[in-house]
């Protein structure tokens, strides 16, 4: 039974009232007209006893395909007509009926790094006779999409080496031997070329040699370039056992973190993707004596006057940047244009 049939019934009821001037005909017409009203209120009442829950990944990597599950549960679910679910305007790919309710499955491609929304889930249904349509909306959820590594560690370290003013790759992570240093840390490759003995630099926790700063860009293409470069540089530094400091801005103010391990790097990267904003160095209290690699999509970002960072700009229209454009940044990292 649908609305078209109900309109036909209403017309028939009115016709009975007009043709037959009798009390029984009036009651019959009144019953035909008022019968759908309980269905309407029942449909609204049943909807209030429905619960929607979504499950998806807490994070993914750019380029992954993620699975999203939306479960609809309720005591009167089996009495609802034509149940349907749309996620971000798209129909479900499959579903199954379980003890908890109906479980709908969707897949979504993680195209861009950053804060990605799962989309708004809308569950719709009708009363048993299909007269009235109802819907319930599940608030939009989000998950984090991590950037992907680009190029190779050697090229990334070479680019940072030029930033720090060192021309020899061996000196990036090595220091002259001092009495008391662990002999097992001797860097024999450098020692063989020099008159002095060199050891691998263990770097105390408070002696980060370089700072990575980044802006969270709203435009997906710029954000991908910034995220990929930031992630790749961080991994390259950690591969050489070089601690560094990571700086970014949030709505609550600037944030900095000392990075000495991959776990610390991933935690800080998650914080950046979750709450990062732009203008990372506007109010930064970083030391002007430590080299800073500032990765942004803004050709003219506001920078604290005491700082003089090397700017890697994801936008190609940045004449004052050390590197400008996606191709130049990827090439510096040893990746494909």
């Amino acid at each position: 039974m649908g609305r078209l049939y109900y309109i036909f019934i209403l017309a028939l009821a009115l016709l009975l009232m007009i043709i037959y001037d009798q009390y029984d005909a009036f009651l019959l017409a009144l019953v035909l007209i008022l019968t759908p009203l309980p269905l309407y209120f029942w449909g609204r009442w049943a909807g209030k006893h429905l619960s929607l829950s979504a499950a998806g990944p807490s994070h993914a990597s750019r380029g992954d395909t993620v699975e999203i599950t939306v479960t609809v549960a309720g005591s009167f679910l089996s009495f609802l007509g034509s149940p349907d679910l749309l996620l971000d305007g798209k129909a479900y790919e499959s579903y199954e009926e379980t003890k908890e309710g109906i479980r709908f499955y969707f897949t979504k491609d993680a195209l861009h790094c950053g804060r990605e929304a799962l989309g708004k889930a809308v569950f719709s249904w009708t009363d048993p006779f299909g007269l009235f349509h109802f819907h319930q909306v599940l608030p939009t959820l989000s998950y984090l999409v991590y950037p992907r590594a680009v190029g190779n560690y050697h090229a990334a370290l070479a680019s940072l080496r030029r930033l720090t003013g060192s021309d020899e790759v061996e000196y990036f992570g090595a220091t002259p031997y001092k009495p008391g240093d662990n002999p097992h840390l001797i860097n024999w490759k450098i020692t063989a070329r020099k008159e002095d003995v060199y050891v691998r630099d263990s770097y105390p926790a408070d002696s980060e040699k370089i700072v990575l700063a980044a802006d969270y860009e709203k435009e997906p293409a710029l954000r991908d370039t910034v995220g990929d470069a930031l992630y790749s540089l961080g991994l390259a530094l950690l591969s050489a056992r070089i601690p560094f400091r990571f700086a970014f801005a949030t709505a609550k103010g600037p944030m900095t973190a000392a990075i000495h391990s991959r776990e610390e790097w991933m935690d800080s990267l998650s914080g950046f993707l979750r709450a990062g904003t732009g203008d990372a160095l506007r109010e930064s209290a970083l030391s002007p004596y430590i080299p800073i690699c500032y990765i942004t999509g803004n050709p003219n970002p506001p920078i604290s006057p005491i700082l003089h960072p090397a700017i890697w700009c994801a936008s190609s229209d940045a004449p004052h940047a050390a590197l400008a454009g996606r191709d130049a940044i990827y090439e510096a990292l040893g990746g494909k244009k």
Side-chain angles (χ1 to χ4, degrees):
M1 185 175 181
R3 291 190 177 184
L4 183 63
Y5 298 107
Y6 180 56
I7 293 174
F8 174 76
I9 291 175
L10 289 178
L12 180 61
L14 292 174
L15 185 63
L16 289 174
M17 293 175 65
I18 294 173
I19 295 178
Y20 299 100
D21 188 15
Q22 297 181 1
Y23 183 70
D24 292 343
F26 173 78
L27 289 180
L28 177 60
L30 193 63
V31 169
L32 292 175
I33 293 173
L34 297 180
T35 296
L37 291 180
L39 295 177
Y40 172 77
F41 290 108
W42 180 86
R44 289 180 59 88
W45 180 82
K48 293 181 179 179
H49 291 76
L50 293 176
S51 64
L52 276 69
S53 60
S58 60
H59 64 272
S61 296
R62 191 159 72 87
D64 289 352
T65 298
V66 299
E67 183 180 75
I68 302 164
T69 305
V70 180
T71 303
V72 182
S75 304
F76 304 96
L77 193 59
S78 58
F79 296 98
L80 302 183
S82 304
D84 192 20
L85 184 72
L86 296 177
L87 180 64
D88 203 21
K90 298 180 180 179
Y92 58 88
E93 298 179 12
S94 61
Y95 78 97
E96 64 175 339
E97 296 183 5
T98 65
K99 294 181 179 179
E100 294 79 14
I102 303 178
R103 189 172 295 164
F104 298 88
Y105 295 96
F106 302 82
T107 58
K108 188 178 181 71
D109 293 329
L111 300 177
H112 303 288
C113 71
R115 302 181 285 269
E116 284 291 308
L118 292 178
K120 182 173 65 175
V122 180
F123 179 66
S124 59
W125 71 95
T126 65
D127 63 87
F129 294 100
L131 294 179
F132 305 102
H133 295 268
F134 308 92
H135 71 274
Q136 185 172 332
V137 178
L138 179 69
T140 301
L141 302 177
S142 62
Y143 64 102
L144 296 182
V145 179
Y146 287 106
R148 56 190 177 193
V150 177
N152 58 79
Y153 294 164
H154 179 79
L157 289 174
S159 297
L160 291 178
R161 193 169 63 252
R162 289 190 292 270
L163 172 63
T164 60
S166 175
D167 294 328
E168 297 190 43
V169 64
E170 291 86 0
Y171 279 95
F172 209 18
T175 186
Y177 176 84
K178 299 184 296 294
D181 286 343
N182 188 346
H184 295 288
L185 296 178
I186 293 177
N187 191 323
W188 293 107
K189 186 176 180 180
I190 300 177
T191 301
R193 296 179 53 189
K194 304 298 178 181
E195 297 179 356
D196 297 325
V197 177
Y198 283 80
V199 295
R200 293 193 298 273
D201 196 341
S202 58
Y203 291 118
D206 59 348
S207 64
E208 293 80 18
K209 301 299 182 182
I210 192 170
V211 174
L212 299 182
D215 287 340
Y216 187 93
E217 296 295 333
K218 294 182 179 180
E219 186 177 335
L222 296 179
R223 188 168 66 248
D224 289 342
T225 302
V226 170
D228 290 351
L230 176 66
Y231 184 47
S232 302
L233 289 176
L235 292 180
L237 289 170
L238 292 174
S239 71
R241 299 183 181 181
I242 302 171
F244 61 96
R245 188 166 290 273
F246 176 45
F248 62 96
T250 68
K252 297 182 179 179
M255 300 288 293
T256 60
I259 309 299
H260 300 84
S261 66
R262 186 183 177 93
E263 290 74 19
E264 292 177 344
W265 180 221
M266 297 308 296
D267 288 344
S268 296
L269 188 63
S270 297
F272 168 70
L273 296 175
R274 186 177 296 108
T277 60
D279 303 341
L281 299 182
R282 179 197 292 271
E283 301 176 356
S284 179
L286 295 171
S287 170
Y289 303 107
I290 300 179
I292 301 174
C293 181
Y294 184 16
I295 312 170
T296 179
N298 186 353
N300 297 293
I303 299 173
S304 173
I306 66 171
L307 301 178
H308 303 281
I311 298 176
W312 289 18
C313 184
S315 174
S316 57
D317 185 18
H320 302 296
L323 292 175
R326 176 184 181 275
D327 290 349
I329 292 177
Y330 277 43
E331 185 177 4
L333 296 171
K336 296 181 179 180
K337 295 183 178 181

